[in-house]
Amino acid sequence: MTEQHDRTTSHSRAWQVLVPVLALGAGLLFGTSAALADLDSSPSHPETLVGLIQERNAAVEQLADQATVLQEQINAASDAGPRAEVVTANGLAPVVGTTAVEGPAVQVVLDDAGYTLETLPEGYTVDDVVVHQQDVQGVINALWAGGAEAMMVQDQRIISSSAVRCVGNTLYLQGRVYSPPYTITAIGDPGTLMRSLQDDPTVSNYRAWADILGLGYEVTDLGETELPAFTGTVRPQFASLVEPSDRPTEEEGPIQR
C-alpha cells in the first residue's frame, strides 16, 4: 500500500511540474505566431475572380489618373518649348486621338435583355439575351464606315490600337472593365452615320434579335458634342519621314481619317 501511494505521489508531482511547462511552451508558441503575423507586411490577394478583377480595375484607374497628370505636364512642357515642327503634330493629333474633338454626334446604346434563368424564353439560352463582343464591334465598324471622325466607347476615346473584348458578361477596354449598357458615341454627319448603321449586316442581325428578345438598341442624335482626348500611351511601331509637300495647308485643313 505504501509503495502504491509513493507511485501515485510521484506521478502527481510530475504532472504538477509538466503542466506549467506545457502551458509556458504553448504561450510562447502563440506569442511567436502573433509576432510573426504582425511582422508580415505582404499584402493579401483576392481569392475570387470578381475580387481580382475589382482590385486590378482599381489599380488601372489609379494609374490612369497618374498618366493623365503626367500627360498634362508633358503638354505644358511642349507648349513652353520650341514651336518648330509642331504644326505637323497638331495636324495629326485629331486623327490619332490625342486631342479633344467637337462636332455633331450620334450615340448608340446596347443593353442586355434583362432575363433571369427563371424568365428565359423557352428554346433560348443566356447567350441569346446578352450583348456580345461582336455586337459592340459591329456598331463601331459601322460608324467608322459611315465616316466617323472620332469615337468613344463608354468614357474612353477609341484610337487605332484600341481593342474591345468581352470577359464573361462584361466589357474589357484599355485596362478597364464595364458592365452593360454599353454606349458608343461617334462624331460625324448624323444622317450618314445612321444610314451606315441601318445598312450594316452585323448591326441588322443584332436589331433582329433585339426585336425578338428585347435586347437594348437605341440610336440618338446628340447634336454638338465634344469627345475628350485619349489619355493612354501611344506607342508607334512604324514611322516615315513627312516631306514638306505632304504637310496639310491651312486651306486643306487637318488630315482626315
Side-chain angles (χ1 to χ4, degrees):
M1 185 69 177
T2 303
E3 184 179 351
Q4 183 178 1
H5 176 73
D6 292 342
R7 285 200 301 269
T8 302
T9 303
S10 176
H11 285 302
S12 177
R13 290 175 178 174
W15 276 109
Q16 289 176 356
V17 174
L18 286 174
V19 168
V21 172
L22 290 174
L24 179 61
L28 288 174
L29 286 175
F30 286 130
T32 303
S33 299
L36 290 176
D38 292 337
L39 291 175
D40 185 10
S41 60
S42 59
S44 59
H45 297 284
E47 298 181 357
T48 64
L49 179 59
V50 173
L52 180 61
I53 291 175
Q54 291 174 342
E55 181 189 73
R56 292 295 184 267
N57 199 29
V60 169
E61 289 181 358
Q62 182 179 3
L63 292 174
D65 292 339
Q66 295 176 2
T68 300
V69 173
L70 293 174
Q71 186 62 52
E72 291 174 353
Q73 295 174 357
I74 292 172
N75 293 341
S78 299
D79 292 340
R83 303 301 296 174
E85 305 299 331
V86 173
V87 174
T88 300
N90 289 342
L92 292 173
V95 181
V96 299
T98 55
T99 187
V101 176
E102 184 175 357
V106 168
Q107 187 175 84
V108 182
V109 179
L110 307 179
D111 200 0
D112 295 345
Y115 291 103
T116 64
L117 290 176
E118 291 74 19
T119 62
L120 193 66
E122 185 177 355
Y124 294 95
T125 68
V126 174
D127 284 341
D128 298 326
V129 295
V130 297
V131 180
H132 291 283
Q133 176 178 318
Q134 63 265 26
D135 302 323
V136 179
Q137 289 176 334
V139 170
I140 292 174
N141 292 337
L143 292 171
W144 283 134
E149 300 174 15
M151 196 176 306
M152 184 168 68
V153 174
Q154 301 297 86
D155 58 349
Q156 294 199 61
R157 181 75 175 273
I158 298 298
I159 62 172
S160 60
S161 60
S162 300
V164 177
R165 296 186 177 91
C166 280
V167 180
N169 63 337
T170 59
L171 185 71
Y172 182 79
L173 174 62
Q174 294 167 175
R176 297 188 183 183
V177 180
Y178 300 92
S179 298
Y182 303 127
T183 302
I184 304 101
T185 308
I187 285 182
D189 178 70
T192 305
L193 293 176
M194 290 184 179
R195 283 194 297 272
S196 184
L197 289 169
Q198 189 70 27
D199 297 338
D200 186 86
T202 302
V203 180
S204 297
N205 181 67
Y206 176 86
R207 285 200 306 271
W209 281 96
D211 292 338
I212 296 172
L213 294 172
L215 288 163
Y217 179 78
E218 182 180 353
V219 181
T220 306
D221 185 344
L222 297 181
E224 286 292 316
T225 303
E226 180 176 315
L227 299 188
F230 176 72
T231 57
T233 301
V234 180
R235 298 178 179 177
Q237 294 179 326
F238 304 98
S240 60
L241 180 64
V242 177
E243 299 296 336
S245 59
D246 295 333
R247 298 174 182 173
T249 63
E250 293 183 359
E251 291 78 9
E252 293 173 340
I255 299 174
Q256 299 299 316
R257 183 183 176 86

